[in-house]
Each structure stands twice: as C-alpha cells, then as structure tokens.
Amino acid sequence: VHGHAASLIPFGVTTVPLRPMYHMASFIGNGVPIFDIRKTFGMTDMLVSDSAKGRALAQALGNKTCVLMRGHGVVVTGPSIQHAVGRSVYLDINAKVQAQAMALGGSVTYLDPQEAQKMMDAGENRGYERPWELWKAKVTGK
C-alpha cells in the first residue's frame, strides 16, 4: 500500500523515530526506515517513477513492514491485502498517538521490541480479519 497520511510525514522529515505505541502497531517493532530519494537520485519530483527508483525504495524497505518516504508518504507491505491495509490503518493511528504522547512531555513508554515480536509470532492477533469487512464497507459506501 502506498499512502500520504499527514500523521506520518513528520516522522519522515525529522530525527524522531516512529515507534510502536500499542499492540496493533507491533509490526513496526523492529524499526521503520526512511527512504530519501534525493540521496540516490538528487533533486527529483519525489515520485518513484521507474525501476531504478523502485529498486532503491525496496532496498530501503529491506526486511521491514513499511518504509517512510521523506516528504512524501509511506509504503506498507504485508502477506495479504488485509494485512497491508490493516497495517496502514494502524500505522496512521500509531503516529497520531505517538505525537500526542510526545506532546504531553515526560518520557514515553513504547512497546519493547520483544513484546512486539511476541505479537508478530502470535500472528498479529488476527487483528485484520475482523475489521476487514468494515473497512471494505467504508470504501464502497455501504
């Protein structure tokens, strides 16, 4: 999935890492890389418009579930369309919650990478199956 969620843009243009705030964002427990197209291609229109740019984006993604695109958006992957869409939804929510928690001041307690991995090992709590029909209905207006 490729998206332009405004909540994610700040994490792609600052040094503040996007980190998992709650169990539904466990898929980012091993980090979220940032793809800066200009590091490889110089000044561009910021679009991944050919195979060389696509390869560079895929390399930045590596073995992660998503990659932020500096000043552009995000790419989210998954083993199924339900996973990719669900991760996109929960990534947006996580970014909003993280920004809110950081704005409160004080320290923030993120999911530990081991907690996140245990959630992943458990199949992400089958967290995309139940809301899938709701998400489809919202998109189709039903």
PDB file of all heavy atoms in Angstrom, residues 38-77:
ATOM      1  N   ARG A  38      16.365  11.729  -2.729  1.00  0.00           N
ATOM      2  CA  ARG A  38      17.419  12.620  -3.235  1.00  0.00           C
ATOM      3  C   ARG A  38      18.824  12.128  -2.864  1.00  0.00           C
ATOM      4  O   ARG A  38      19.793  12.532  -3.499  1.00  0.00           O
ATOM      5  CB  ARG A  38      17.196  14.047  -2.781  1.00  0.00           C
ATOM      6  CG  ARG A  38      17.360  14.284  -1.312  1.00  0.00           C
ATOM      7  CD  ARG A  38      17.063  15.724  -0.969  1.00  0.00           C
ATOM      8  NE  ARG A  38      17.000  15.827   0.487  1.00  0.00           N
ATOM      9  CZ  ARG A  38      16.514  16.870   1.115  1.00  0.00           C
ATOM     10  NH1 ARG A  38      16.044  17.889   0.446  1.00  0.00           N
ATOM     11  NH2 ARG A  38      16.496  16.887   2.428  1.00  0.00           N
ATOM     12  N   LYS A  39      18.931  11.256  -1.871  1.00  0.00           N
ATOM     13  CA  LYS A  39      20.257  10.731  -1.519  1.00  0.00           C
ATOM     14  C   LYS A  39      20.848   9.909  -2.662  1.00  0.00           C
ATOM     15  O   LYS A  39      22.058   9.862  -2.838  1.00  0.00           O
ATOM     16  CB  LYS A  39      20.194   9.892  -0.247  1.00  0.00           C
ATOM     17  CG  LYS A  39      20.029  10.732   0.999  1.00  0.00           C
ATOM     18  CD  LYS A  39      20.089   9.896   2.243  1.00  0.00           C
ATOM     19  CE  LYS A  39      19.971  10.779   3.474  1.00  0.00           C
ATOM     20  NZ  LYS A  39      19.957   9.992   4.713  1.00  0.00           N
ATOM     21  N   THR A  40      20.006   9.257  -3.429  1.00  0.00           N
ATOM     22  CA  THR A  40      20.469   8.435  -4.543  1.00  0.00           C
ATOM     23  C   THR A  40      20.281   9.126  -5.887  1.00  0.00           C
ATOM     24  O   THR A  40      21.112   8.972  -6.786  1.00  0.00           O
ATOM     25  CB  THR A  40      19.715   7.085  -4.558  1.00  0.00           C
ATOM     26  OG1 THR A  40      19.885   6.452  -3.293  1.00  0.00           O
ATOM     27  CG2 THR A  40      20.229   6.167  -5.646  1.00  0.00           C
ATOM     28  N   PHE A  41      19.215   9.899  -6.035  1.00  0.00           N
ATOM     29  CA  PHE A  41      18.849  10.427  -7.349  1.00  0.00           C
ATOM     30  C   PHE A  41      18.922  11.949  -7.460  1.00  0.00           C
ATOM     31  O   PHE A  41      18.554  12.508  -8.485  1.00  0.00           O
ATOM     32  CB  PHE A  41      17.438   9.948  -7.716  1.00  0.00           C
ATOM     33  CG  PHE A  41      17.337   8.455  -7.793  1.00  0.00           C
ATOM     34  CD1 PHE A  41      16.832   7.722  -6.729  1.00  0.00           C
ATOM     35  CD2 PHE A  41      17.798   7.767  -8.903  1.00  0.00           C
ATOM     36  CE1 PHE A  41      16.754   6.335  -6.788  1.00  0.00           C
ATOM     37  CE2 PHE A  41      17.731   6.391  -8.968  1.00  0.00           C
ATOM     38  CZ  PHE A  41      17.210   5.670  -7.906  1.00  0.00           C
ATOM     39  N   GLY A  42      19.373  12.624  -6.401  1.00  0.00           N
ATOM     40  CA  GLY A  42      19.449  14.080  -6.454  1.00  0.00           C
ATOM     41  C   GLY A  42      18.055  14.694  -6.392  1.00  0.00           C
ATOM     42  O   GLY A  42      17.121  14.101  -5.866  1.00  0.00           O
ATOM     43  N   MET A  43      17.927  15.876  -6.953  1.00  0.00           N
ATOM     44  CA  MET A  43      16.632  16.560  -6.942  1.00  0.00           C
ATOM     45  C   MET A  43      15.706  15.924  -7.973  1.00  0.00           C
ATOM     46  O   MET A  43      16.045  15.835  -9.146  1.00  0.00           O
ATOM     47  CB  MET A  43      16.802  18.051  -7.238  1.00  0.00           C
ATOM     48  CG  MET A  43      17.553  18.789  -6.155  1.00  0.00           C
ATOM     49  SD  MET A  43      16.721  18.643  -4.559  1.00  0.00           S
ATOM     50  CE  MET A  43      18.119  18.515  -3.470  1.00  0.00           C
ATOM     51  N   THR A  44      14.562  15.468  -7.492  1.00  0.00           N
ATOM     52  CA  THR A  44      13.571  14.812  -8.351  1.00  0.00           C
ATOM     53  C   THR A  44      12.199  15.412  -8.039  1.00  0.00           C
ATOM     54  O   THR A  44      12.080  16.299  -7.197  1.00  0.00           O
ATOM     55  CB  THR A  44      13.499  13.299  -8.076  1.00  0.00           C
ATOM     56  OG1 THR A  44      12.921  13.108  -6.772  1.00  0.00           O
ATOM     57  CG2 THR A  44      14.865  12.637  -8.127  1.00  0.00           C
ATOM     58  N   ASP A  45      11.176  14.877  -8.686  1.00  0.00           N
ATOM     59  CA  ASP A  45       9.801  15.252  -8.347  1.00  0.00           C
ATOM     60  C   ASP A  45       9.271  14.394  -7.198  1.00  0.00           C
ATOM     61  O   ASP A  45       8.098  14.445  -6.880  1.00  0.00           O
ATOM     62  CB  ASP A  45       8.883  15.151  -9.563  1.00  0.00           C
ATOM     63  CG  ASP A  45       8.822  13.746 -10.146  1.00  0.00           C
ATOM     64  OD1 ASP A  45       9.433  12.799  -9.578  1.00  0.00           O
ATOM     65  OD2 ASP A  45       8.171  13.576 -11.192  1.00  0.00           O
ATOM     66  N   MET A  46      10.144  13.604  -6.587  1.00  0.00           N
ATOM     67  CA  MET A  46       9.891  12.760  -5.419  1.00  0.00           C
ATOM     68  C   MET A  46       9.006  11.551  -5.716  1.00  0.00           C
ATOM     69  O   MET A  46       8.575  10.858  -4.804  1.00  0.00           O
ATOM     70  CB  MET A  46       9.325  13.571  -4.249  1.00  0.00           C
ATOM     71  CG  MET A  46      10.293  14.656  -3.796  1.00  0.00           C
ATOM     72  SD  MET A  46       9.704  15.633  -2.430  1.00  0.00           S
ATOM     73  CE  MET A  46       9.897  14.446  -1.103  1.00  0.00           C
ATOM     74  N   LEU A  47       8.732  11.286  -6.981  1.00  0.00           N
ATOM     75  CA  LEU A  47       7.918  10.138  -7.355  1.00  0.00           C
ATOM     76  C   LEU A  47       8.809   8.952  -7.704  1.00  0.00           C
ATOM     77  O   LEU A  47       9.847   9.115  -8.349  1.00  0.00           O
ATOM     78  CB  LEU A  47       7.018  10.481  -8.546  1.00  0.00           C
ATOM     79  CG  LEU A  47       6.032  11.615  -8.321  1.00  0.00           C
ATOM     80  CD1 LEU A  47       5.233  11.873  -9.603  1.00  0.00           C
ATOM     81  CD2 LEU A  47       5.103  11.326  -7.151  1.00  0.00           C
ATOM     82  N   VAL A  48       8.386   7.773  -7.316  1.00  0.00           N
ATOM     83  CA  VAL A  48       9.076   6.543  -7.682  1.00  0.00           C
ATOM     84  C   VAL A  48       8.498   6.146  -9.040  1.00  0.00           C
ATOM     85  O   VAL A  48       7.495   5.441  -9.125  1.00  0.00           O
ATOM     86  CB  VAL A  48       8.886   5.452  -6.610  1.00  0.00           C
ATOM     87  CG1 VAL A  48       9.557   4.158  -7.029  1.00  0.00           C
ATOM     88  CG2 VAL A  48       9.429   5.935  -5.279  1.00  0.00           C
ATOM     89  N   SER A  49       9.148   6.643 -10.092  1.00  0.00           N
ATOM     90  CA  SER A  49       8.561   6.580 -11.431  1.00  0.00           C
ATOM     91  C   SER A  49       9.297   5.661 -12.399  1.00  0.00           C
ATOM     92  O   SER A  49       8.941   5.606 -13.568  1.00  0.00           O
ATOM     93  CB  SER A  49       8.510   7.993 -12.020  1.00  0.00           C
ATOM     94  OG  SER A  49       9.796   8.587 -11.991  1.00  0.00           O
ATOM     95  N   ASP A  50      10.308   4.953 -11.921  1.00  0.00           N
ATOM     96  CA  ASP A  50      10.986   4.000 -12.788  1.00  0.00           C
ATOM     97  C   ASP A  50      11.555   2.865 -11.936  1.00  0.00           C
ATOM     98  O   ASP A  50      11.538   2.920 -10.709  1.00  0.00           O
ATOM     99  CB  ASP A  50      12.063   4.674 -13.647  1.00  0.00           C
ATOM    100  CG  ASP A  50      13.138   5.381 -12.835  1.00  0.00           C
ATOM    101  OD1 ASP A  50      13.644   4.792 -11.841  1.00  0.00           O
ATOM    102  OD2 ASP A  50      13.487   6.523 -13.179  1.00  0.00           O
ATOM    103  N   SER A  51      12.065   1.850 -12.599  1.00  0.00           N
ATOM    104  CA  SER A  51      12.516   0.650 -11.884  1.00  0.00           C
ATOM    105  C   SER A  51      13.729   0.933 -10.999  1.00  0.00           C
ATOM    106  O   SER A  51      13.868   0.317  -9.932  1.00  0.00           O
ATOM    107  CB  SER A  51      12.802  -0.497 -12.849  1.00  0.00           C
ATOM    108  OG  SER A  51      13.798  -0.128 -13.780  1.00  0.00           O
ATOM    109  N   ALA A  52      14.594   1.854 -11.381  1.00  0.00           N
ATOM    110  CA  ALA A  52      15.754   2.163 -10.540  1.00  0.00           C
ATOM    111  C   ALA A  52      15.301   2.769  -9.214  1.00  0.00           C
ATOM    112  O   ALA A  52      15.802   2.397  -8.145  1.00  0.00           O
ATOM    113  CB  ALA A  52      16.706   3.116 -11.266  1.00  0.00           C
ATOM    114  N   LYS A  53      14.338   3.663  -9.265  1.00  0.00           N
ATOM    115  CA  LYS A  53      13.818   4.263  -8.034  1.00  0.00           C
ATOM    116  C   LYS A  53      13.039   3.234  -7.223  1.00  0.00           C
ATOM    117  O   LYS A  53      13.098   3.222  -5.993  1.00  0.00           O
ATOM    118  CB  LYS A  53      12.955   5.480  -8.363  1.00  0.00           C
ATOM    119  CG  LYS A  53      13.771   6.633  -8.919  1.00  0.00           C
ATOM    120  CD  LYS A  53      12.883   7.818  -9.279  1.00  0.00           C
ATOM    121  CE  LYS A  53      13.716   8.925  -9.883  1.00  0.00           C
ATOM    122  NZ  LYS A  53      13.386   9.159 -11.283  1.00  0.00           N
ATOM    123  N   GLY A  54      12.327   2.363  -7.913  1.00  0.00           N
ATOM    124  CA  GLY A  54      11.603   1.288  -7.223  1.00  0.00           C
ATOM    125  C   GLY A  54      12.538   0.350  -6.502  1.00  0.00           C
ATOM    126  O   GLY A  54      12.281  -0.061  -5.366  1.00  0.00           O
ATOM    127  N   ARG A  55      13.653   0.019  -7.147  1.00  0.00           N
ATOM    128  CA  ARG A  55      14.663  -0.839  -6.509  1.00  0.00           C
ATOM    129  C   ARG A  55      15.248  -0.160  -5.280  1.00  0.00           C
ATOM    130  O   ARG A  55      15.429  -0.781  -4.234  1.00  0.00           O
ATOM    131  CB  ARG A  55      15.784  -1.167  -7.499  1.00  0.00           C
ATOM    132  CG  ARG A  55      15.776  -2.578  -8.020  1.00  0.00           C
ATOM    133  CD  ARG A  55      16.996  -2.924  -8.848  1.00  0.00           C
ATOM    134  NE  ARG A  55      17.347  -1.958  -9.869  1.00  0.00           N
ATOM    135  CZ  ARG A  55      16.755  -1.848 -11.063  1.00  0.00           C
ATOM    136  NH1 ARG A  55      15.773  -2.658 -11.370  1.00  0.00           N
ATOM    137  NH2 ARG A  55      17.142  -0.935 -11.931  1.00  0.00           N
ATOM    138  N   ALA A  56      15.543   1.133  -5.395  1.00  0.00           N
ATOM    139  CA  ALA A  56      16.107   1.871  -4.253  1.00  0.00           C
ATOM    140  C   ALA A  56      15.116   1.914  -3.092  1.00  0.00           C
ATOM    141  O   ALA A  56      15.513   1.758  -1.929  1.00  0.00           O
ATOM    142  CB  ALA A  56      16.491   3.287  -4.687  1.00  0.00           C
ATOM    143  N   LEU A  57      13.845   2.094  -3.404  1.00  0.00           N
ATOM    144  CA  LEU A  57      12.812   2.079  -2.358  1.00  0.00           C
ATOM    145  C   LEU A  57      12.734   0.700  -1.714  1.00  0.00           C
ATOM    146  O   LEU A  57      12.687   0.582  -0.487  1.00  0.00           O
ATOM    147  CB  LEU A  57      11.456   2.486  -2.935  1.00  0.00           C
ATOM    148  CG  LEU A  57      10.267   2.439  -1.988  1.00  0.00           C
ATOM    149  CD1 LEU A  57      10.444   3.397  -0.810  1.00  0.00           C
ATOM    150  CD2 LEU A  57       8.981   2.768  -2.748  1.00  0.00           C
ATOM    151  N   ALA A  58      12.757  -0.347  -2.522  1.00  0.00           N
ATOM    152  CA  ALA A  58      12.708  -1.719  -1.991  1.00  0.00           C
ATOM    153  C   ALA A  58      13.928  -2.014  -1.124  1.00  0.00           C
ATOM    154  O   ALA A  58      13.815  -2.678  -0.092  1.00  0.00           O
ATOM    155  CB  ALA A  58      12.604  -2.726  -3.130  1.00  0.00           C
ATOM    156  N   GLN A  59      15.083  -1.511  -1.519  1.00  0.00           N
ATOM    157  CA  GLN A  59      16.291  -1.707  -0.714  1.00  0.00           C
ATOM    158  C   GLN A  59      16.165  -0.986   0.624  1.00  0.00           C
ATOM    159  O   GLN A  59      16.594  -1.508   1.655  1.00  0.00           O
ATOM    160  CB  GLN A  59      17.522  -1.239  -1.476  1.00  0.00           C
ATOM    161  CG  GLN A  59      17.894  -2.173  -2.598  1.00  0.00           C
ATOM    162  CD  GLN A  59      19.009  -1.621  -3.484  1.00  0.00           C
ATOM    163  OE1 GLN A  59      19.330  -0.432  -3.451  1.00  0.00           O
ATOM    164  NE2 GLN A  59      19.591  -2.489  -4.287  1.00  0.00           N
ATOM    165  N   ALA A  60      15.586   0.207   0.621  1.00  0.00           N
ATOM    166  CA  ALA A  60      15.378   0.931   1.880  1.00  0.00           C
ATOM    167  C   ALA A  60      14.394   0.183   2.773  1.00  0.00           C
ATOM    168  O   ALA A  60      14.566   0.131   3.988  1.00  0.00           O
ATOM    169  CB  ALA A  60      14.879   2.349   1.605  1.00  0.00           C
ATOM    170  N   LEU A  61      13.372  -0.410   2.191  1.00  0.00           N
ATOM    171  CA  LEU A  61      12.400  -1.207   2.941  1.00  0.00           C
ATOM    172  C   LEU A  61      13.077  -2.416   3.570  1.00  0.00           C
ATOM    173  O   LEU A  61      12.863  -2.712   4.746  1.00  0.00           O
ATOM    174  CB  LEU A  61      11.252  -1.653   2.027  1.00  0.00           C
ATOM    175  CG  LEU A  61      10.249  -2.630   2.621  1.00  0.00           C
ATOM    176  CD1 LEU A  61       9.425  -1.975   3.720  1.00  0.00           C
ATOM    177  CD2 LEU A  61       9.340  -3.182   1.524  1.00  0.00           C
ATOM    178  N   GLY A  62      13.900  -3.098   2.800  1.00  0.00           N
ATOM    179  CA  GLY A  62      14.606  -4.277   3.310  1.00  0.00           C
ATOM    180  C   GLY A  62      13.638  -5.314   3.844  1.00  0.00           C
ATOM    181  O   GLY A  62      12.653  -5.646   3.193  1.00  0.00           O
ATOM    182  N   ASN A  63      13.874  -5.786   5.062  1.00  0.00           N
ATOM    183  CA  ASN A  63      13.014  -6.818   5.657  1.00  0.00           C
ATOM    184  C   ASN A  63      11.971  -6.219   6.603  1.00  0.00           C
ATOM    185  O   ASN A  63      11.360  -6.943   7.391  1.00  0.00           O
ATOM    186  CB  ASN A  63      13.869  -7.853   6.398  1.00  0.00           C
ATOM    187  CG  ASN A  63      14.559  -7.256   7.616  1.00  0.00           C
ATOM    188  OD1 ASN A  63      14.552  -6.043   7.842  1.00  0.00           O
ATOM    189  ND2 ASN A  63      15.170  -8.111   8.414  1.00  0.00           N
ATOM    190  N   LYS A  64      11.749  -4.924   6.529  1.00  0.00           N
ATOM    191  CA  LYS A  64      10.764  -4.249   7.393  1.00  0.00           C
ATOM    192  C   LYS A  64       9.370  -4.348   6.764  1.00  0.00           C
ATOM    193  O   LYS A  64       9.220  -4.753   5.619  1.00  0.00           O
ATOM    194  CB  LYS A  64      11.143  -2.780   7.589  1.00  0.00           C
ATOM    195  CG  LYS A  64      12.568  -2.542   8.041  1.00  0.00           C
ATOM    196  CD  LYS A  64      12.826  -3.048   9.424  1.00  0.00           C
ATOM    197  CE  LYS A  64      14.193  -2.569   9.890  1.00  0.00           C
ATOM    198  NZ  LYS A  64      14.809  -3.352  10.860  1.00  0.00           N
ATOM    199  N   THR A  65       8.373  -3.950   7.521  1.00  0.00           N
ATOM    200  CA  THR A  65       6.989  -3.997   7.029  1.00  0.00           C
ATOM    201  C   THR A  65       6.556  -2.708   6.353  1.00  0.00           C
ATOM    202  O   THR A  65       5.552  -2.695   5.645  1.00  0.00           O
ATOM    203  CB  THR A  65       6.019  -4.291   8.183  1.00  0.00           C
ATOM    204  OG1 THR A  65       6.193  -3.276   9.184  1.00  0.00           O
ATOM    205  CG2 THR A  65       6.265  -5.666   8.777  1.00  0.00           C
ATOM    206  N   CYS A  66       7.305  -1.636   6.587  1.00  0.00           N
ATOM    207  CA  CYS A  66       6.949  -0.364   5.966  1.00  0.00           C
ATOM    208  C   CYS A  66       8.181   0.523   5.891  1.00  0.00           C
ATOM    209  O   CYS A  66       9.171   0.288   6.573  1.00  0.00           O
ATOM    210  CB  CYS A  66       5.827   0.332   6.734  1.00  0.00           C
ATOM    211  SG  CYS A  66       6.177   0.642   8.460  1.00  0.00           S
ATOM    212  N   VAL A  67       8.087   1.525   5.038  1.00  0.00           N
ATOM    213  CA  VAL A  67       9.163   2.491   4.881  1.00  0.00           C
ATOM    214  C   VAL A  67       8.537   3.865   4.683  1.00  0.00           C
ATOM    215  O   VAL A  67       7.594   4.024   3.901  1.00  0.00           O
ATOM    216  CB  VAL A  67      10.113   2.125   3.712  1.00  0.00           C
ATOM    217  CG1 VAL A  67       9.388   2.034   2.387  1.00  0.00           C
ATOM    218  CG2 VAL A  67      11.283   3.090   3.621  1.00  0.00           C
ATOM    219  N   LEU A  68       9.027   4.842   5.441  1.00  0.00           N
ATOM    220  CA  LEU A  68       8.583   6.219   5.259  1.00  0.00           C
ATOM    221  C   LEU A  68       9.335   6.808   4.079  1.00  0.00           C
ATOM    222  O   LEU A  68      10.523   6.550   3.897  1.00  0.00           O
ATOM    223  CB  LEU A  68       8.867   7.044   6.517  1.00  0.00           C
ATOM    224  CG  LEU A  68       8.127   6.613   7.781  1.00  0.00           C
ATOM    225  CD1 LEU A  68       8.646   7.399   8.985  1.00  0.00           C
ATOM    226  CD2 LEU A  68       6.627   6.802   7.620  1.00  0.00           C
ATOM    227  N   MET A  69       8.651   7.603   3.292  1.00  0.00           N
ATOM    228  CA  MET A  69       9.262   8.293   2.159  1.00  0.00           C
ATOM    229  C   MET A  69       9.360   9.766   2.541  1.00  0.00           C
ATOM    230  O   MET A  69       8.333  10.434   2.696  1.00  0.00           O
ATOM    231  CB  MET A  69       8.406   8.092   0.915  1.00  0.00           C
ATOM    232  CG  MET A  69       8.227   6.629   0.537  1.00  0.00           C
ATOM    233  SD  MET A  69       6.971   6.371  -0.732  1.00  0.00           S
ATOM    234  CE  MET A  69       7.846   6.978  -2.164  1.00  0.00           C
ATOM    235  N   ARG A  70      10.591  10.248   2.728  1.00  0.00           N
ATOM    236  CA  ARG A  70      10.804  11.606   3.215  1.00  0.00           C
ATOM    237  C   ARG A  70       9.998  12.622   2.400  1.00  0.00           C
ATOM    238  O   ARG A  70      10.087  12.688   1.194  1.00  0.00           O
ATOM    239  CB  ARG A  70      12.289  11.979   3.147  1.00  0.00           C
ATOM    240  CG  ARG A  70      12.550  13.390   3.704  1.00  0.00           C
ATOM    241  CD  ARG A  70      13.753  14.082   3.126  1.00  0.00           C
ATOM    242  NE  ARG A  70      13.939  13.992   1.716  1.00  0.00           N
ATOM    243  CZ  ARG A  70      13.411  14.861   0.819  1.00  0.00           C
ATOM    244  NH1 ARG A  70      12.634  15.836   1.189  1.00  0.00           N
ATOM    245  NH2 ARG A  70      13.678  14.697  -0.459  1.00  0.00           N
ATOM    246  N   GLY A  71       9.169  13.393   3.118  1.00  0.00           N
ATOM    247  CA  GLY A  71       8.398  14.450   2.489  1.00  0.00           C
ATOM    248  C   GLY A  71       7.356  13.980   1.503  1.00  0.00           C
ATOM    249  O   GLY A  71       6.867  14.770   0.692  1.00  0.00           O
ATOM    250  N   HIS A  72       6.995  12.716   1.550  1.00  0.00           N
ATOM    251  CA  HIS A  72       6.083  12.165   0.541  1.00  0.00           C
ATOM    252  C   HIS A  72       4.977  11.307   1.160  1.00  0.00           C
ATOM    253  O   HIS A  72       3.813  11.578   0.972  1.00  0.00           O
ATOM    254  CB  HIS A  72       6.886  11.341  -0.472  1.00  0.00           C
ATOM    255  CG  HIS A  72       6.070  10.797  -1.593  1.00  0.00           C
ATOM    256  ND1 HIS A  72       6.451  10.950  -2.906  1.00  0.00           N
ATOM    257  CD2 HIS A  72       4.917  10.109  -1.629  1.00  0.00           C
ATOM    258  CE1 HIS A  72       5.547  10.378  -3.691  1.00  0.00           C
ATOM    259  NE2 HIS A  72       4.608   9.853  -2.931  1.00  0.00           N
ATOM    260  N   GLY A  73       5.354  10.262   1.870  1.00  0.00           N
ATOM    261  CA  GLY A  73       4.341   9.357   2.400  1.00  0.00           C
ATOM    262  C   GLY A  73       4.957   8.089   2.951  1.00  0.00           C
ATOM    263  O   GLY A  73       6.003   8.115   3.585  1.00  0.00           O
ATOM    264  N   VAL A  74       4.314   6.971   2.634  1.00  0.00           N
ATOM    265  CA  VAL A  74       4.714   5.693   3.209  1.00  0.00           C
ATOM    266  C   VAL A  74       4.373   4.568   2.239  1.00  0.00           C
ATOM    267  O   VAL A  74       3.459   4.693   1.426  1.00  0.00           O
ATOM    268  CB  VAL A  74       3.996   5.462   4.569  1.00  0.00           C
ATOM    269  CG1 VAL A  74       2.494   5.326   4.391  1.00  0.00           C
ATOM    270  CG2 VAL A  74       4.566   4.284   5.329  1.00  0.00           C
ATOM    271  N   VAL A  75       5.134   3.489   2.345  1.00  0.00           N
ATOM    272  CA  VAL A  75       4.815   2.227   1.675  1.00  0.00           C
ATOM    273  C   VAL A  75       4.694   1.187   2.775  1.00  0.00           C
ATOM    274  O   VAL A  75       5.551   1.098   3.655  1.00  0.00           O
ATOM    275  CB  VAL A  75       5.906   1.825   0.665  1.00  0.00           C
ATOM    276  CG1 VAL A  75       5.686   0.402   0.155  1.00  0.00           C
ATOM    277  CG2 VAL A  75       5.937   2.801  -0.500  1.00  0.00           C
ATOM    278  N   VAL A  76       3.604   0.417   2.738  1.00  0.00           N
ATOM    279  CA  VAL A  76       3.334  -0.607   3.747  1.00  0.00           C
ATOM    280  C   VAL A  76       3.140  -1.945   3.036  1.00  0.00           C
ATOM    281  O   VAL A  76       2.430  -2.015   2.027  1.00  0.00           O
ATOM    282  CB  VAL A  76       2.070  -0.255   4.567  1.00  0.00           C
ATOM    283  CG1 VAL A  76       1.826  -1.287   5.651  1.00  0.00           C
ATOM    284  CG2 VAL A  76       2.184   1.140   5.158  1.00  0.00           C
ATOM    285  N   THR A  77       3.752  -2.992   3.572  1.00  0.00           N
ATOM    286  CA  THR A  77       3.646  -4.326   2.980  1.00  0.00           C
ATOM    287  C   THR A  77       2.947  -5.282   3.946  1.00  0.00           C
ATOM    288  O   THR A  77       2.767  -4.977   5.119  1.00  0.00           O
ATOM    289  CB  THR A  77       5.038  -4.896   2.644  1.00  0.00           C
ATOM    290  OG1 THR A  77       5.740  -5.119   3.868  1.00  0.00           O
ATOM    291  CG2 THR A  77       5.821  -3.961   1.749  1.00  0.00           C
TER     292      THR A  77
END
